[in-house]
Amino acid sequence: MSKQKRGRKHRVPQKRASREPSVPRPRDAAPVLPAGGMHLRGSMDQTATLLQHAKPDQLVELVLPHLWAALADGRVPANVCVDACMTLRHAYGQLGVRAELLPVDLAVQCKDGSGTRYGSLTPSWSGTSWNGHCVLVLPDSERFVDATVEQFDEVREIGAGPMIGKVALPTHDCGMLMEPGAQVMLQRGDLVLTYTIAGPDALASIVEHPEMAAHADRHHRTGVNAASFTLAALRGEGVRGRAMQAPHPRLRALLRAVGDARYEADEGGDVRFRVADQTGRELWLRMDEIPLPPTVPAAWPRS
């Protein structure tokens, strides 16, 4: 939703080919709003800290959005929050975590009482650009994830990365995970971020729009790649043991399947692991191609 500047460069400390991995990219130039903004800068240091200290039930939920922001490396305008959420929804889902889109209105209040409002309770499209703000909800862990919150100047100045908090998720007849009009208040430094939940029409404006159908394959592909890097990070020394205790059977099965296999980005930019297929032959396979036991839950989203 805002203008962007280039962020600091960070490299992923992993063994892979020199070809660039596929990471989420914008479809078109984003609309400019008065508040300004910049590219996500990401932080591998923040990601490393989470990998070192996060509890088993926190690892995927916390590490993935931070790693995604670092992998984006300034190439993804944070204001394309819909693309980010669609990508991360697939990434979470590949690792066995259900994630759902949640359109919101966001009010950021400063210590002196001043503030700025972003997003809309009645978002709309301008050509190929969506005018609103979108986050993710993880129903099973009741976590709230705003991966692109640092598009907003006052939030970005604090430098804490994506916003991740806990919410209560009662069931509602409208099919929404949270009641329209409900609010989630989270603290970031001296700022208070108040998210107001938009209604089912706002959600429909995303999922039923032709732009989403047109880019569904790209969202899936970039989500698989983000999940692949996360999987590689979770099998690292000092991390894998906790990851194997995470409450996600699909994640545990993937960790067993890839072991310490090599991985790299192929000529098309897709991350592939060198693993055995169902016949025992070693092949370079994308995460969504790796054979898993039939008892392993399918990836989200599920049709």
mmCIF file of all heavy atoms in Angstrom, residues 75-112:
data_model
loop_
_atom_site.group_PDB
_atom_site.id
_atom_site.type_symbol
_atom_site.label_atom_id
_atom_site.label_comp_id
_atom_site.label_asym_id
_atom_site.label_seq_id
_atom_site.Cartn_x
_atom_site.Cartn_y
_atom_site.Cartn_z
ATOM 1 N N ARG A 75 13.090 -7.477 -2.214
ATOM 2 C CA ARG A 75 12.530 -7.637 -3.554
ATOM 3 C C ARG A 75 11.014 -7.701 -3.554
ATOM 4 O O ARG A 75 10.400 -7.799 -4.605
ATOM 5 C CB ARG A 75 13.091 -8.904 -4.195
ATOM 6 C CG ARG A 75 14.568 -8.778 -4.553
ATOM 7 C CD ARG A 75 15.137 -10.109 -4.972
ATOM 8 N NE ARG A 75 15.272 -10.985 -3.810
ATOM 9 C CZ ARG A 75 15.830 -12.181 -3.876
ATOM 10 N NH1 ARG A 75 16.282 -12.630 -5.022
ATOM 11 N NH2 ARG A 75 15.931 -12.931 -2.799
ATOM 12 N N VAL A 76 10.393 -7.664 -2.386
ATOM 13 C CA VAL A 76 8.943 -7.779 -2.298
ATOM 14 C C VAL A 76 8.391 -6.564 -1.587
ATOM 15 O O VAL A 76 8.670 -6.366 -0.403
ATOM 16 C CB VAL A 76 8.531 -9.041 -1.525
ATOM 17 C CG1 VAL A 76 7.012 -9.163 -1.484
ATOM 18 C CG2 VAL A 76 9.148 -10.257 -2.169
ATOM 19 N N PRO A 77 7.605 -5.718 -2.250
ATOM 20 C CA PRO A 77 6.986 -4.606 -1.539
ATOM 21 C C PRO A 77 6.095 -5.137 -0.423
ATOM 22 O O PRO A 77 5.233 -5.975 -0.644
ATOM 23 C CB PRO A 77 6.151 -3.913 -2.616
ATOM 24 C CG PRO A 77 6.787 -4.317 -3.907
ATOM 25 C CD PRO A 77 7.277 -5.722 -3.669
ATOM 26 N N ALA A 78 6.330 -4.641 0.781
ATOM 27 C CA ALA A 78 5.546 -5.116 1.910
ATOM 28 C C ALA A 78 4.075 -4.808 1.738
ATOM 29 O O ALA A 78 3.227 -5.442 2.333
ATOM 30 C CB ALA A 78 6.059 -4.462 3.197
ATOM 31 N N ASN A 79 3.758 -3.817 0.902
ATOM 32 C CA ASN A 79 2.357 -3.441 0.762
ATOM 33 C C ASN A 79 1.550 -4.458 -0.032
ATOM 34 O O ASN A 79 0.331 -4.378 -0.057
ATOM 35 C CB ASN A 79 2.221 -2.050 0.134
ATOM 36 C CG ASN A 79 3.043 -1.913 -1.132
ATOM 37 O OD1 ASN A 79 3.469 -2.907 -1.703
ATOM 38 N ND2 ASN A 79 3.273 -0.694 -1.560
ATOM 39 N N VAL A 80 2.188 -5.398 -0.680
ATOM 40 C CA VAL A 80 1.421 -6.443 -1.357
ATOM 41 C C VAL A 80 1.112 -7.518 -0.314
ATOM 42 O O VAL A 80 1.560 -8.657 -0.386
ATOM 43 C CB VAL A 80 2.194 -7.016 -2.560
ATOM 44 C CG1 VAL A 80 1.283 -7.944 -3.374
ATOM 45 C CG2 VAL A 80 2.689 -5.901 -3.469
ATOM 46 N N CYS A 81 0.309 -7.105 0.677
ATOM 47 C CA CYS A 81 0.060 -7.997 1.813
ATOM 48 C C CYS A 81 -0.768 -9.204 1.405
ATOM 49 O O CYS A 81 -0.628 -10.275 2.003
ATOM 50 C CB CYS A 81 -0.621 -7.230 2.944
ATOM 51 S SG CYS A 81 -2.160 -6.428 2.482
ATOM 52 N N VAL A 82 -1.620 -9.050 0.407
ATOM 53 C CA VAL A 82 -2.419 -10.193 -0.038
ATOM 54 C C VAL A 82 -1.517 -11.268 -0.624
ATOM 55 O O VAL A 82 -1.645 -12.453 -0.304
ATOM 56 C CB VAL A 82 -3.475 -9.758 -1.063
ATOM 57 C CG1 VAL A 82 -4.136 -10.972 -1.698
ATOM 58 C CG2 VAL A 82 -4.537 -8.904 -0.384
ATOM 59 N N ASP A 83 -0.577 -10.878 -1.477
ATOM 60 C CA ASP A 83 0.353 -11.845 -2.051
ATOM 61 C C ASP A 83 1.183 -12.511 -0.959
ATOM 62 O O ASP A 83 1.436 -13.720 -1.000
ATOM 63 C CB ASP A 83 1.282 -11.170 -3.058
ATOM 64 C CG ASP A 83 0.567 -10.817 -4.344
ATOM 65 O OD1 ASP A 83 -0.179 -11.663 -4.859
ATOM 66 O OD2 ASP A 83 0.728 -9.687 -4.830
ATOM 67 N N ALA A 84 1.619 -11.716 0.029
ATOM 68 C CA ALA A 84 2.391 -12.283 1.132
ATOM 69 C C ALA A 84 1.567 -13.303 1.898
ATOM 70 O O ALA A 84 2.052 -14.400 2.209
ATOM 71 C CB ALA A 84 2.844 -11.155 2.066
ATOM 72 N N CYS A 85 0.313 -12.964 2.203
ATOM 73 C CA CYS A 85 -0.529 -13.883 2.968
ATOM 74 C C CYS A 85 -0.848 -15.144 2.175
ATOM 75 O O CYS A 85 -0.848 -16.250 2.737
ATOM 76 C CB CYS A 85 -1.819 -13.182 3.392
ATOM 77 S SG CYS A 85 -1.597 -12.017 4.755
ATOM 78 N N MET A 86 -1.122 -14.997 0.886
ATOM 79 C CA MET A 86 -1.414 -16.178 0.078
ATOM 80 C C MET A 86 -0.193 -17.090 0.002
ATOM 81 O O MET A 86 -0.297 -18.322 0.082
ATOM 82 C CB MET A 86 -1.864 -15.765 -1.324
ATOM 83 C CG MET A 86 -3.179 -14.997 -1.358
ATOM 84 S SD MET A 86 -4.592 -15.993 -0.815
ATOM 85 C CE MET A 86 -5.007 -16.845 -2.334
ATOM 86 N N THR A 87 0.990 -16.489 -0.143
ATOM 87 C CA THR A 87 2.231 -17.261 -0.188
ATOM 88 C C THR A 87 2.487 -17.974 1.138
ATOM 89 O O THR A 87 2.770 -19.177 1.179
ATOM 90 C CB THR A 87 3.416 -16.338 -0.531
ATOM 91 O OG1 THR A 87 3.282 -15.884 -1.879
ATOM 92 C CG2 THR A 87 4.746 -17.060 -0.378
ATOM 93 N N LEU A 88 2.376 -17.231 2.235
ATOM 94 C CA LEU A 88 2.650 -17.816 3.543
ATOM 95 C C LEU A 88 1.589 -18.832 3.941
ATOM 96 O O LEU A 88 1.878 -19.782 4.679
ATOM 97 C CB LEU A 88 2.753 -16.713 4.597
ATOM 98 C CG LEU A 88 4.059 -15.912 4.543
ATOM 99 C CD1 LEU A 88 3.980 -14.689 5.445
ATOM 100 C CD2 LEU A 88 5.248 -16.781 4.934
ATOM 101 N N ARG A 89 0.372 -18.662 3.454
ATOM 102 C CA ARG A 89 -0.657 -19.668 3.719
ATOM 103 C C ARG A 89 -0.228 -21.027 3.157
ATOM 104 O O ARG A 89 -0.353 -22.056 3.805
ATOM 105 C CB ARG A 89 -1.976 -19.228 3.099
ATOM 106 C CG ARG A 89 -3.151 -20.151 3.419
ATOM 107 C CD ARG A 89 -4.389 -19.711 2.687
ATOM 108 N NE ARG A 89 -5.546 -20.521 3.060
ATOM 109 C CZ ARG A 89 -6.542 -20.820 2.239
ATOM 110 N NH1 ARG A 89 -6.527 -20.363 0.990
ATOM 111 N NH2 ARG A 89 -7.549 -21.548 2.645
ATOM 112 N N HIS A 90 0.308 -21.011 1.931
ATOM 113 C CA HIS A 90 0.800 -22.256 1.337
ATOM 114 C C HIS A 90 2.052 -22.756 2.054
ATOM 115 O O HIS A 90 2.226 -23.972 2.241
ATOM 116 C CB HIS A 90 1.097 -22.052 -0.142
ATOM 117 C CG HIS A 90 -0.125 -22.020 -1.000
ATOM 118 N ND1 HIS A 90 -0.844 -23.149 -1.329
ATOM 119 C CD2 HIS A 90 -0.770 -20.980 -1.593
ATOM 120 C CE1 HIS A 90 -1.876 -22.823 -2.086
ATOM 121 N NE2 HIS A 90 -1.860 -21.519 -2.259
ATOM 122 N N ALA A 91 2.926 -21.833 2.460
ATOM 123 C CA ALA A 91 4.153 -22.240 3.151
ATOM 124 C C ALA A 91 3.831 -22.914 4.479
ATOM 125 O O ALA A 91 4.357 -23.988 4.795
ATOM 126 C CB ALA A 91 5.053 -21.027 3.364
ATOM 127 N N TYR A 92 2.978 -22.273 5.264
ATOM 128 C CA TYR A 92 2.551 -22.898 6.519
ATOM 129 C C TYR A 92 1.918 -24.263 6.242
ATOM 130 O O TYR A 92 2.184 -25.251 6.931
ATOM 131 C CB TYR A 92 1.532 -22.009 7.229
ATOM 132 C CG TYR A 92 2.119 -20.947 8.132
ATOM 133 C CD1 TYR A 92 1.848 -19.592 7.917
ATOM 134 C CD2 TYR A 92 2.903 -21.286 9.229
ATOM 135 C CE1 TYR A 92 2.353 -18.610 8.758
ATOM 136 C CE2 TYR A 92 3.420 -20.314 10.078
ATOM 137 C CZ TYR A 92 3.139 -18.972 9.838
ATOM 138 O OH TYR A 92 3.644 -18.003 10.675
ATOM 139 N N GLY A 93 1.061 -24.295 5.236
ATOM 140 C CA GLY A 93 0.339 -25.524 4.933
ATOM 141 C C GLY A 93 1.234 -26.672 4.541
ATOM 142 O O GLY A 93 0.958 -27.835 4.878
ATOM 143 N N GLN A 94 2.331 -26.394 3.831
ATOM 144 C CA GLN A 94 3.271 -27.446 3.465
ATOM 145 C C GLN A 94 3.919 -28.073 4.693
ATOM 146 O O GLN A 94 4.277 -29.249 4.680
ATOM 147 C CB GLN A 94 4.356 -26.882 2.539
ATOM 148 C CG GLN A 94 3.894 -26.597 1.127
ATOM 149 C CD GLN A 94 3.494 -27.854 0.383
ATOM 150 O OE1 GLN A 94 4.192 -28.863 0.431
ATOM 151 N NE2 GLN A 94 2.375 -27.798 -0.333
ATOM 152 N N LEU A 95 4.041 -27.288 5.757
ATOM 153 C CA LEU A 95 4.665 -27.776 6.983
ATOM 154 C C LEU A 95 3.628 -28.308 7.974
ATOM 155 O O LEU A 95 3.963 -28.639 9.103
ATOM 156 C CB LEU A 95 5.488 -26.653 7.621
ATOM 157 C CG LEU A 95 6.664 -26.167 6.757
ATOM 158 C CD1 LEU A 95 7.270 -24.907 7.344
ATOM 159 C CD2 LEU A 95 7.726 -27.245 6.605
ATOM 160 N N GLY A 96 2.369 -28.365 7.538
ATOM 161 C CA GLY A 96 1.325 -28.959 8.365
ATOM 162 C C GLY A 96 0.584 -28.010 9.270
ATOM 163 O O GLY A 96 -0.105 -28.436 10.194
ATOM 164 N N VAL A 97 0.707 -26.703 9.007
ATOM 165 C CA VAL A 97 0.051 -25.696 9.835
ATOM 166 C C VAL A 97 -1.052 -25.018 9.021
ATOM 167 O O VAL A 97 -0.787 -24.439 7.971
ATOM 168 C CB VAL A 97 1.049 -24.636 10.331
ATOM 169 C CG1 VAL A 97 0.338 -23.571 11.172
ATOM 170 C CG2 VAL A 97 2.167 -25.291 11.133
ATOM 171 N N ARG A 98 -2.260 -25.094 9.514
ATOM 172 C CA ARG A 98 -3.378 -24.438 8.834
ATOM 173 C C ARG A 98 -3.310 -22.932 9.058
ATOM 174 O O ARG A 98 -3.142 -22.469 10.183
ATOM 175 C CB ARG A 98 -4.707 -24.973 9.363
ATOM 176 C CG ARG A 98 -5.934 -24.325 8.731
ATOM 177 C CD ARG A 98 -7.201 -24.812 9.403
ATOM 178 N NE ARG A 98 -8.361 -24.046 8.973
ATOM 179 C CZ ARG A 98 -9.496 -23.987 9.643
ATOM 180 N NH1 ARG A 98 -9.635 -24.665 10.779
ATOM 181 N NH2 ARG A 98 -10.503 -23.269 9.201
ATOM 182 N N ALA A 99 -3.432 -22.166 7.985
ATOM 183 C CA ALA A 99 -3.423 -20.703 8.053
ATOM 184 C C ALA A 99 -4.556 -20.168 7.191
ATOM 185 O O ALA A 99 -4.790 -20.660 6.088
ATOM 186 C CB ALA A 99 -2.083 -20.149 7.571
ATOM 187 N N GLU A 100 -5.256 -19.150 7.696
ATOM 188 C CA GLU A 100 -6.385 -18.575 6.976
ATOM 189 C C GLU A 100 -6.243 -17.061 6.869
ATOM 190 O O GLU A 100 -5.721 -16.405 7.773
ATOM 191 C CB GLU A 100 -7.700 -18.917 7.681
ATOM 192 C CG GLU A 100 -7.975 -20.419 7.795
ATOM 193 C CD GLU A 100 -8.175 -21.108 6.448
ATOM 194 O OE1 GLU A 100 -8.337 -20.402 5.436
ATOM 195 O OE2 GLU A 100 -8.164 -22.355 6.412
ATOM 196 N N LEU A 101 -6.714 -16.511 5.754
ATOM 197 C CA LEU A 101 -6.639 -15.080 5.515
ATOM 198 C C LEU A 101 -7.640 -14.327 6.379
ATOM 199 O O LEU A 101 -8.751 -14.811 6.625
ATOM 200 C CB LEU A 101 -6.924 -14.759 4.048
ATOM 201 C CG LEU A 101 -5.745 -14.856 3.079
ATOM 202 C CD1 LEU A 101 -5.296 -16.291 2.909
ATOM 203 C CD2 LEU A 101 -6.120 -14.257 1.731
ATOM 204 N N LEU A 102 -7.252 -13.128 6.804
ATOM 205 C CA LEU A 102 -8.121 -12.295 7.624
ATOM 206 C C LEU A 102 -7.934 -10.832 7.230
ATOM 207 O O LEU A 102 -6.947 -10.198 7.606
ATOM 208 C CB LEU A 102 -7.781 -12.488 9.103
ATOM 209 C CG LEU A 102 -8.752 -11.905 10.114
ATOM 210 C CD1 LEU A 102 -10.089 -12.643 10.066
ATOM 211 C CD2 LEU A 102 -8.173 -11.988 11.521
ATOM 212 N N PRO A 103 -8.858 -10.253 6.455
ATOM 213 C CA PRO A 103 -8.773 -8.828 6.124
ATOM 214 C C PRO A 103 -9.044 -7.980 7.371
ATOM 215 O O PRO A 103 -9.928 -8.317 8.173
ATOM 216 C CB PRO A 103 -9.874 -8.628 5.078
ATOM 217 C CG PRO A 103 -10.259 -10.004 4.640
ATOM 218 C CD PRO A 103 -9.989 -10.901 5.791
ATOM 219 N N VAL A 104 -8.293 -6.907 7.525
ATOM 220 C CA VAL A 104 -8.407 -6.079 8.730
ATOM 221 C C VAL A 104 -8.256 -4.604 8.395
ATOM 222 O O VAL A 104 -7.739 -4.222 7.346
ATOM 223 C CB VAL A 104 -7.328 -6.455 9.773
ATOM 224 C CG1 VAL A 104 -7.507 -7.882 10.260
ATOM 225 C CG2 VAL A 104 -5.923 -6.246 9.203
ATOM 226 N N ASP A 105 -8.717 -3.794 9.339
ATOM 227 C CA ASP A 105 -8.393 -2.380 9.402
ATOM 228 C C ASP A 105 -7.397 -2.241 10.544
ATOM 229 O O ASP A 105 -7.561 -2.877 11.592
ATOM 230 C CB ASP A 105 -9.663 -1.565 9.679
ATOM 231 C CG ASP A 105 -9.378 -0.091 9.893
ATOM 232 O OD1 ASP A 105 -9.366 0.655 8.920
ATOM 233 O OD2 ASP A 105 -9.167 0.302 11.068
ATOM 234 N N LEU A 106 -6.347 -1.449 10.365
ATOM 235 C CA LEU A 106 -5.303 -1.335 11.379
ATOM 236 C C LEU A 106 -5.125 0.118 11.804
ATOM 237 O O LEU A 106 -4.922 1.002 10.964
ATOM 238 C CB LEU A 106 -3.973 -1.878 10.842
ATOM 239 C CG LEU A 106 -2.729 -1.615 11.695
ATOM 240 C CD1 LEU A 106 -2.868 -2.262 13.069
ATOM 241 C CD2 LEU A 106 -1.473 -2.120 10.982
ATOM 242 N N ALA A 107 -5.189 0.357 13.115
ATOM 243 C CA ALA A 107 -4.899 1.672 13.682
ATOM 244 C C ALA A 107 -3.616 1.570 14.494
ATOM 245 O O ALA A 107 -3.511 0.723 15.390
ATOM 246 C CB ALA A 107 -6.045 2.141 14.566
ATOM 247 N N VAL A 108 -2.630 2.404 14.173
ATOM 248 C CA VAL A 108 -1.357 2.429 14.895
ATOM 249 C C VAL A 108 -1.316 3.692 15.737
ATOM 250 O O VAL A 108 -1.329 4.803 15.202
ATOM 251 C CB VAL A 108 -0.166 2.399 13.918
ATOM 252 C CG1 VAL A 108 1.148 2.425 14.697
ATOM 253 C CG2 VAL A 108 -0.227 1.163 13.025
ATOM 254 N N GLN A 109 -1.286 3.528 17.049
ATOM 255 C CA GLN A 109 -1.310 4.674 17.966
ATOM 256 C C GLN A 109 0.049 4.841 18.624
ATOM 257 O O GLN A 109 0.619 3.887 19.173
ATOM 258 C CB GLN A 109 -2.376 4.499 19.039
ATOM 259 C CG GLN A 109 -2.530 5.721 19.946
ATOM 260 C CD GLN A 109 -3.680 5.578 20.925
ATOM 261 O OE1 GLN A 109 -4.180 4.481 21.152
ATOM 262 N NE2 GLN A 109 -4.111 6.690 21.510
ATOM 263 N N CYS A 110 0.568 6.065 18.565
ATOM 264 C CA CYS A 110 1.863 6.380 19.163
ATOM 265 C C CYS A 110 1.700 6.742 20.639
ATOM 266 O O CYS A 110 0.592 6.944 21.136
ATOM 267 C CB CYS A 110 2.519 7.536 18.415
ATOM 268 S SG CYS A 110 2.795 7.201 16.654
ATOM 269 N N LYS A 111 2.823 6.855 21.335
ATOM 270 C CA LYS A 111 2.824 7.132 22.765
ATOM 271 C C LYS A 111 2.160 8.458 23.084
ATOM 272 O O LYS A 111 1.518 8.611 24.137
ATOM 273 C CB LYS A 111 4.268 7.118 23.285
ATOM 274 C CG LYS A 111 4.397 7.187 24.789
ATOM 275 C CD LYS A 111 5.860 7.061 25.193
ATOM 276 C CE LYS A 111 6.006 7.098 26.719
ATOM 277 N NZ LYS A 111 7.441 6.963 27.125
ATOM 278 N N ASP A 112 2.313 9.446 22.186
ATOM 279 C CA ASP A 112 1.736 10.772 22.438
ATOM 280 C C ASP A 112 0.254 10.849 22.091
ATOM 281 O O ASP A 112 -0.358 11.913 22.151
ATOM 282 C CB ASP A 112 2.507 11.841 21.659
ATOM 283 C CG ASP A 112 2.444 11.639 20.146
ATOM 284 O OD1 ASP A 112 1.718 10.722 19.683
ATOM 285 O OD2 ASP A 112 3.122 12.388 19.426
#
